[in-house]
Amino acid sequence: MTGRVLSLHLGTGSGLPKPQVEALDLLAGFGALGDRHAGKDPDRALLVAGIAAYEKAKEAGIHLPFGALGENLLLDLDPHLLPPGARLRVGEALLELTQVCTVCNSLSQFDLRLPKLLYGGRGLYARVLEGGRVRVGDPVLVLVAAE
């Protein structure tokens, strides 16, 4: 399975949506350089979302700007369709999906229905296995999970 990066976001301050950027510098075991979540928990270093989450919100009449889900990477494929531990080669970096992101109440600022609507479908956290630069438009190659 392959895809591509639709949008990249770096949360330097607090709040949502996370501002859009053209590129992210990812550091192994750390996360996105400059992001407020980097360096805290390596298994939750990045949030990877799929365009399907935005489409689901739009079908419910909720129009969100990219970055509203707090994602660092927005892909044109749904990470929820991948097995746990799946690895993604994104640009120069290698990521490993670690766990489903819980929907927090911060999404309620956009619409009170959003936390329930996107429960279990907001995105997946990822660990950075190999650092490197990731740019908008970069290809995403899904690698089989290590057994």
Side-chain angles (χ1 to χ4, degrees), residues 10 12 23-27 30-36 38 46:
L10 191 66
T12 51
L24 289 176
D25 289 311
L26 304 183
L27 303 176
F30 184 78
L33 195 61
D35 190 78
R36 66 179 176 257
L46 298 173

Side-chain angles (χ1 to χ4, degrees), residues 17-80:
K18 280 190 174 181
Q20 201 164 7
V21 293
E22 286 302 310
L24 289 176
D25 289 311
L26 304 183
L27 303 176
F30 184 78
L33 195 61
D35 190 78
R36 66 179 176 257
H37 296 293
K40 293 182 180 169
D41 180 348
D43 287 338
R44 295 171 52 142
L46 298 173
L47 181 56
V48 179
I51 192 68
Y54 283 92
E55 290 169 348
K56 187 172 185 179
K58 192 174 178 182
E59 287 167 12
I62 306 168
H63 299 275
L64 299 171
F66 290 165
L69 301 181
E71 75 275 15
N72 297 104
L73 291 88
L74 179 63
L75 309 180
D76 68 352
L77 56 89
D78 188 350
H80 292 279

